[in-house]
Amino acid sequence: MFKSVLKKAAGAVAVAAGLAAMSAQAADVKVGFVYIGPPGDHGWTYQHDQGRLAVEKELGVETTFVENVPEGPDAERVINQLAATGHNLIFTTSFGYMNPTLKAAKRHKNVKFEHATGYKQAANVATYSGRFYEGRYVVGHIAGKMTKSNVLGYIASFPIPEVIRGINATIRGARAVNPDATIKVVWVSSWFDPGKESDAAKTLIDQGADVILQHTDSPAPVQVAEERGVWAVGQASDMHKFGEKAHLTAIIDDWAPYYIERTKAVMDGTWTGGGDTWGGFKTGMVVMADYNKAIPADVVELAESIRKGIIDGSVHPFAGPVVKQDGTVAVPAGETPDDGFLAGMNFYVEGVDGEMPQ
């Protein structure tokens, strides 16, 4: 009995000491975030900000964010300013921040940087992204089943591999269950512009699309879909409250576990740069939102079978054959492309209606 009490007391002391050490570490760490849009976009930036808030709540560290930072020289200025004002770890959360992040990292070698969706690393720069294309492949199956016109509409931001991969995954999913499905794309040259996104959704609906998808960050397309009586899929966050009838589901980006893990690594001295993390369904970085109750049960079952198949490795969105828009074979039947192929994707697959911007 006496020994048991001693053990419990020793354990309590150890826990208290651990908490005190964690508190001391937290006081020494300051984390910065650079956002392409506002946290209130209810999409991409909103989810990154939820991750930031989770870091504060879980670890007790001080965080800072700068919103609406354009990609280019302004981004470099903002990143340098965060680095110069005591931030030990800085997350830069848009593709166009890649080179500005690298430049800032050269100037501030004692600061640790994490760049979202990029592919260039350094000793003090790591990269991370989600396998959003996995969610888009699931959504493609749903869209292929739900469309009546056989025309899907896709609002795209910029013609980078991440976005092209999403378009291709969507139509491949759709045509797996509906060979007559096609997808029309409107490029808006912006990540967040509710006006442009709204106009693009209207244009696509006028062209016959009855399912609207997007790789842009505002809920405007979902709102237009609700008004016009067609289906929609949310981007990065659950957007159902902006169109409860229209919203089929959404591909949710859950950054919180990664942000907590990487901040902890800075706190305990185990953080390393130069690496890349590409998480998907299996790691929980990509999650499907609740399915609309209007989706038939067999379609939900199909969607879930695809999602689970991606997790267990029995399904790959780009398993061959992958046929380009011009009819040439990019991936032969029986083969599965590696991550390098996916990361450099710069072509449309069959089923995409229209030309890619140059």
Side-chain angles (χ1 to χ4, degrees):
M1 177 72 175
F2 183 64
K3 287 183 178 179
S4 176
V5 171
L6 282 178
K7 284 182 179 179
K8 287 182 180 179
V13 170
V15 169
L19 290 174
M22 180 72 79
S23 177
Q25 289 173 328
D28 295 332
V29 174
K30 191 175 178 183
V31 186
F33 292 79
V34 184
Y35 297 153
I36 189 68
D41 68 356
H42 301 289
W44 174 262
T45 297
Y46 172 81
Q47 282 300 116
H48 285 286
D49 201 55
Q50 291 300 297
R52 178 187 67 82
L53 293 172
V55 168
E56 285 189 346
K57 182 178 180 180
E58 180 79 12
L59 304 177
V61 303
E62 179 183 352
T63 71
T64 304
F65 71 89
V66 185
E67 62 185 296
N68 295 315
V69 179
E71 296 171 324
D74 282 349
E76 187 177 349
R77 176 183 56 78
V78 168
I79 297 166
N80 276 317
Q81 185 174 12
L82 287 171
T85 52
H87 293 81
N88 317 72
L89 175 63
I90 299 172
F91 293 97
T92 59
T93 64
S94 190
F95 180 79
Y97 296 158
M98 182 166 60
N99 289 331
T101 299
L102 289 164
K103 290 178 181 178
K106 285 183 179 179
R107 291 185 61 182
H108 304 276
K109 296 187 183 299
N110 293 326
V111 177
K112 297 163 179 63
F113 297 84
E114 299 257 357
H115 176 238
T117 74
Y119 55 86
K120 295 180 180 179
Q121 299 92 27
N124 60 334
V125 180
T127 53
Y128 64 101
S129 189
R131 295 181 184 270
F132 315 121
Y133 67 89
E134 294 181 349
R136 298 191 195 283
Y137 190 62
V138 172
V139 162
H141 281 74
I142 297 172
K145 286 287 191 179
M146 299 299 288
T147 181
K148 295 291 193 295
S149 67
N150 291 329
V151 179
L152 314 181
Y154 202 105
I155 302 164
S157 47
F158 297 97
I160 60 175
E162 175 194 334
V163 179
I164 296 165
R165 206 164 46 237
I167 295 166
N168 289 342
T170 300
I171 191 59
R172 279 178 58 81
R175 287 169 75 94
V177 296
N178 180 355
D180 295 326
T182 60
I183 191 165
K184 294 179 180 291
V185 183
V186 172
W187 295 90
V188 296
S189 300
S190 174
W191 292 109
F192 177 75
D193 189 322
K196 283 185 178 180
E197 294 170 60
S198 177
D199 289 343
K202 292 172 184 176
T203 296
L204 289 164
I205 294 168
D206 289 344
Q207 292 176 354
D210 61 356
V211 183
I212 299 298
L213 308 105
Q214 62 186 94
H215 202 135
T216 53
D217 300 339
S218 89
V222 176
Q223 292 172 312
V224 170
E226 182 85 352
E227 293 166 3
R228 297 286 292 271
V230 301
W231 301 113
V233 175
Q235 152 73 1
S237 303
D238 187 341
M239 295 180 171
H240 81 275
K241 66 182 179 181
F242 297 97
E244 294 190 358
K245 292 180 180 178
H247 192 266
L248 290 169
T249 184
I251 302 156
I252 299 175
D253 311 333
D254 186 2
W255 304 110
Y258 182 79
Y259 286 162
I260 291 169
E261 175 191 345
R262 298 299 277 170
T263 304
K264 276 185 177 178
V266 172
M267 293 168 68
D268 62 26
T270 61
W271 188 97
T272 57
D276 178 62
T277 298
W278 203 4
F281 283 144
K282 190 171 184 177
T283 65
M285 193 174 274
V286 177
V287 181
M288 297 304 300
D290 289 343
Y291 298 112
N292 192 318
K293 291 180 180 179
I295 303 175
D298 63 325
V299 177
V300 171
E301 185 177 347
L302 170 66
E304 280 297 283
S305 71
I306 297 300
R307 184 184 67 83
K308 291 174 182 177
I310 291 172
I311 291 172
D312 67 27
S314 62
V315 174
H316 192 291
F318 290 99
V322 175
V323 181
K324 293 184 180 182
Q325 188 185 50
D326 63 9
T328 60
V329 176
V331 181
E335 295 186 11
T336 301
D338 61 17
D339 282 351
F341 176 92
L342 298 177
M345 190 169 285
N346 61 357
F347 60 86
Y348 281 152
V349 298
E350 58 183 356
V352 183
D353 182 0
E355 297 182 359
M356 192 184 302
Q358 300 300 315

